[in-house]
Amino acid sequence: MIKWRGIAFKLHPLFVLLMLLALAMGEWLGVVTLFGIVLLHELGHLAMALRFGWTIREVKLLPFGGVLEVEEAGTVPAKEEALVAIAGPAQNAWLAVAAYLAGLLGWVDTAWSHDFIKANALILLFNLLPIMPLDGGKLVQAWMSLRIPYHRVLLWSSRLSLFFSAAVVLYSFVPLLQGGVLQMNALAVGLFLCASNWTYRKNVPFVFLRFLVHRARRSEGRIDRGTLAQPIVVAEQRQPSDVVKLLMKERYHLVYVIKQGKVQKVVPEDQLVDRFLHTLTNGHADLRFFM
């Protein structure tokens, strides 16, 4: 582990395993190249996150990219999340272009340039799969958060991630049907993504709770700047635990409580969230409700 400006840089055990396997096969140049590509990919994410003032706890490098552990996860604007996500693949794009030009001008060996371009293209395209924590998964999640309530965003992104993670595992067996050998790299990565997203699915209630805890601070900022409120209309008997599931990440809400066709009261979302967190603290609500 290496620390820089309070940020820990770590190699994931899966990356270490694949690197050791490659070294055992004498592919040391490939290991160095892959490490450099992955590091630059993740530095793209890191630079953009720091530009937005995010607090980064850890950078974990994986064979296909990496993961930023940030304090603000799930609480920052969708636009920032999307830009941080796309900053990684953008590094692979310019690296591929640079390698192509270097090979064209004769500055590097053409075969090496071709392999380098192929590696960057593979990492770029793989990271755009709609799987958490890949960049494509984060982009899909940011896009969904502009259109549907955030609780539903978390549930659907976890379901999509599990589905496509399983598809990666199945893809690793395709060569066997064609008389080839099992794609061990794809199998290892696919199983890792399945396990990661199964854990993420179980942690949805806690991710949503963190979203609610930070909600009041973001709401105050919107009110100070002036914002159009999006109404949520509910019947009087609806519980706070039902209503908070209707909150959209990129909107400020006023909750209209209806009884017998008439508005009984209008509740700002801040009061709604405070009431729910109070009931949760006093043991009158259960996080399993958000599964």
Side-chain angles (χ1 to χ4, degrees):
M1 181 184 73
I2 300 174
K3 276 207 168 188
W4 174 75
R5 292 177 59 181
I7 303 171
F9 287 78
K10 296 181 180 179
L11 286 177
H12 191 276
L14 179 61
F15 197 1
V16 175
L17 176 62
L18 292 179
M19 289 174 68
L20 291 174
L21 288 174
L23 287 172
M25 297 171 63
E27 297 289 340
W28 65 269
L29 181 59
V31 170
V32 173
T33 302
L34 177 62
F35 177 80
I37 291 173
V38 169
L39 180 60
L40 287 172
H41 174 103
E42 205 56 28
L43 288 177
H45 291 308
L46 179 62
M48 187 64 73
L50 292 175
R51 180 181 176 185
F52 287 126
W54 293 13
T55 304
I56 315 297
R57 296 197 304 263
E58 180 180 288
V59 177
K60 189 174 292 183
L61 299 180
L62 290 148
F64 46 79
V67 178
L68 293 183
E69 296 288 343
V70 302
E71 295 286 350
E72 294 83 0
T75 65
V76 295
K79 180 181 178 181
E80 290 186 15
E81 288 183 333
L83 289 173
V84 170
I86 206 66
Q91 304 306 305
N92 299 120
W94 77 256
L95 284 171
V97 171
Y100 172 77
L101 293 175
L104 192 65
L105 295 172
W107 295 349
V108 296
D109 181 70
T110 305
W112 182 89
S113 173
H114 179 267
D115 290 341
F116 190 77
I117 292 170
K118 185 178 178 180
N120 274 282
L122 183 62
I123 290 177
L124 187 155
L125 294 174
F126 184 79
N127 269 279
L128 292 180
L129 291 175
I131 304 172
M132 294 292 289
L134 301 183
D135 304 325
K138 293 175 182 177
L139 288 170
V140 169
Q141 194 175 78
W143 177 78
M144 285 195 298
S145 69
L146 297 174
R147 289 160 176 81
I148 60 176
Y150 192 60
H151 182 259
R152 204 175 302 168
V153 169
L154 295 176
L155 290 178
W156 275 105
S157 63
S158 66
R159 290 165 183 167
L160 283 172
S161 295
L162 280 170
F163 174 81
F164 283 100
S165 298
V168 173
V169 173
L170 293 176
Y171 171 78
S172 69
F173 288 92
V174 170
L176 291 178
L177 302 177
Q178 302 170 342
V181 296
L182 181 68
Q183 291 282 345
M184 289 301 298
N185 287 349
L187 178 61
V189 171
L191 290 175
F192 165 77
L193 290 172
C194 283
S196 176
N197 282 291
W198 183 258
T199 301
Y200 177 72
R201 174 68 181 84
K202 294 197 303 183
N203 286 334
V204 162
F206 303 101
V207 176
F208 187 68
L209 179 61
R210 179 171 56 187
F211 161 74
L212 293 177
V213 169
H214 289 274
R215 182 79 179 181
R217 186 178 60 190
R218 291 197 62 200
S219 296
E220 288 175 2
R222 286 197 178 97
I223 294 171
D224 290 341
R225 294 190 302 269
T227 185
L228 293 175
Q230 178 170 320
I232 294 177
V233 181
V234 297
E236 185 183 38
Q237 63 268 25
R238 291 291 292 274
Q239 296 298 313
S241 54
D242 290 314
V243 185
V244 292
K245 292 168 68 176
L246 302 176
L247 296 176
M248 292 185 66
K249 184 179 179 183
E250 298 299 312
R251 296 286 187 270
Y252 180 80
H253 298 283
L254 293 175
V255 181
Y256 289 74
V257 181
I258 304 295
K259 182 179 181 181
Q260 296 179 348
K262 295 182 179 180
V263 177
Q264 293 298 304
K265 58 182 174 180
V266 180
V267 182
E269 67 169 47
D270 316 61
Q271 293 181 22
L272 169 71
V273 172
D274 286 344
R275 182 180 171 189
F276 169 72
L277 294 176
H278 178 73
T279 58
L280 187 66
T281 303
N282 287 277
H284 300 302
D286 192 338
L287 272 179
R288 286 177 296 179
F289 181 82
F290 295 113
M291 292 296 287

